[in-house]
Amino acid sequence: MSHLFSPYTLLGLTLKNRIVMAPMCQYSVTEKDGKPNDWHYTHLTSRAIGDTGLVLFEMTDVEPDGRITDQDLGLWSDEQIPAFKRIIDACHGYGAKVGIQIAHAGRKAMDATEPVAPSAIRYADEGYKTPRELSTDGVEAVVGMFREAARRAVAAGVDTIELHGAHGYLIHQFQSPLTNRRSDRYGQNLAQFGVEVIRAVKQVMPPTMPLFMRVSAVEYADGGYDIDHGIEICRQYRDAGVDMFHVSSGGEGHAGVRRPGNYPGYQVPFARAIKEALHAPVTAVGILEDAHLAESVVANGDADLVAIGRGMLRDPYWAIHAAQVLGVKPEVPPQYARAF
Ligand SMILES: Cc1cc2nc3c(=O)[nH]c(=O)nc-3n(C[C@H](O)[C@H](O)[C@H](O)COP(=O)(O)O)c2cc1C
């Protein structure tokens, strides 16, 4: 029996296996209208055909200036809903569940004329502008944008929503002492913005739909936060309504003394630490494409789910091939059954 290929239920969401396709920006919205197109259709449905339990749309932004680039997905208008729905319905037809990662790039919005952020601190790399510090009212308005984007995601038929609180984007910018120097309530408690976003999106999600949140468990820039701070932030997020943490790390700036691992499973200890401290379900991610390693992460109880990113760019049928490695019969569409 395989742990990786056992079903998993969280509230009203049941996945056929523990495999998640990690959200991955495709920078492919050629019309710059935030709507997924045939590229996204192929990108996502091919992984659904490939026996992935949960397919996550890439970072999908709550306003045009919340995009990293103008080629990113967005859910700032009801007009965008049908383009998402077409892909979600197709993935459902192949037995996958679907989530959308809702986000705002904040100071990492490269194509915005004037990016916004908790504080006017530039991301120190070529191509980034000094952001404008959001007023307190401005922050509250962005919370409302997250709520509206979540409402649209639900209308498009998602099974879950993931908030992007990792990799140095807006929610992460608020939770880090490196990028949040505010004196209002959003600076007094570094988790406050995330907490308000969580409560807002939960208002528009069906009560049985779980909320995922991606977090950077630690930062690597000098002066950045460590796992204890990461856990404390997640504790507040859990209490505000997060049902599942998707545990990543870094993205806030250049690594200093502390460096990210570049070896299989390097982020799994962070996932386990959050799971143990908060008794909350976690998804592990980061160079987990060795099928036996992915199996062991679930079997050892390090994480409830395993997300695969680049491994699925190399192989859209990663899950099918993992099943074969682990001696499990993969679930494939009837058209392909004769091959298995
Ligand atoms: C092309 C590409 C785009 C990515 N875009 C996103 C994104 O939209 N949101 C996000 O949270 N992470 C993003 N990531 C990070 C992945 O979700 C994942 O965490 C990372 O690649 C590590 O997992 P892996 O070793 O399985 O690739 C991206 C990664 C890649 C390679």
Side-chain angles (χ1 to χ4, degrees), residues 22-25 58-59 101 164 167 214 248 285-287 289 307-310 313:
M24 284 182 284
C25 284
E58 68 193 71
M59 170 163 171
Q101 187 187 51
H164 198 348
H167 304 165
R214 215 171 212 217
S248 188
V285 66
I287 318 184
E289 62 263 23
I308 308 293
R310 290 162 292 178
L313 295 186

Side-chain angles (χ1 to χ4, degrees), residues 111-322:
D111 287 350
T113 314
E114 188 185 43
V116 296
S119 302
I121 303 168
R122 198 177 80 86
Y123 185 81
D125 227 337
E126 241 175 78
Y128 294 93
K129 306 178 181 91
T130 301
R132 171 172 59 83
E133 177 173 322
L134 282 161
S135 65
T136 303
D137 286 353
V139 181
E140 287 166 357
V142 178
V143 172
M145 291 175 200
F146 271 93
R147 184 192 60 239
E148 287 305 292
R151 179 183 62 71
R152 294 181 188 111
V154 171
V158 292
D159 304 286
T160 183
I161 285 173
E162 175 167 286
L163 291 172
H164 198 348
H167 304 165
Y169 297 107
L170 189 66
I171 296 176
H172 180 174
Q173 289 161 33
F174 273 92
Q175 77 208 16
S176 169
L178 292 173
T179 40
N180 184 348
R181 305 275 168 78
R182 302 175 70 88
S183 54
D184 63 2
R185 71 178 190 279
Y186 296 110
Q188 286 155 14
N189 174 6
L190 300 185
Q192 184 65 29
F193 176 67
V195 163
E196 291 186 19
V197 169
I198 292 159
R199 290 193 184 128
V201 301
K202 276 267 167 164
Q203 280 171 16
V204 296
M205 291 169 65
T208 56
M209 183 185 287
L211 177 64
F212 282 50
M213 182 150 196
R214 215 171 212 217
V215 287
S216 284
V218 301
E219 295 185 320
Y220 298 109
D222 288 335
Y225 64 73
D226 59 14
I227 186 70
D228 293 336
H229 178 90
I231 288 171
E232 194 36 51
I233 295 279
C234 288
R235 187 186 308 281
Q236 295 193 53
Y237 291 167
R238 180 202 63 187
D239 293 347
V242 169
D243 300 295
M244 162 72 79
F245 290 100
H246 189 170
V247 183
S248 188
S249 63
E252 73 290 343
H254 292 288
V257 176
R258 190 160 52 208
R259 296 203 158 262
N262 197 14
Y263 42 82
Y266 69 102
Q267 294 179 139
V268 173
F270 304 138
R272 185 167 189 118
I274 289 175
K275 186 175 173 64
E276 283 183 349
L278 303 181
H279 307 291
V282 294
T283 301
V285 66
I287 318 184
L288 294 174
E289 62 263 23
D290 178 296
H292 292 290
L293 174 59
E295 170 75 9
S296 74
V297 166
V298 178
N300 288 329
D302 293 325
D304 301 275
L305 303 176
V306 168
I308 308 293
R310 290 162 292 178
M312 282 203 193
L313 295 186
R314 285 188 286 273
D315 179 6
Y317 295 166
W318 183 87
I320 291 177
H321 297 141

Side-chain angles (χ1 to χ4, degrees), residues 29 34-36 40 57-61 67 71-74 84:
V29 184
K35 295 178 188 171
H40 304 89
F57 272 80
E58 68 193 71
M59 170 163 171
T60 297
D61 302 296
R67 293 175 291 183
Q71 286 74 33
D72 295 349
L73 294 182
F84 284 88

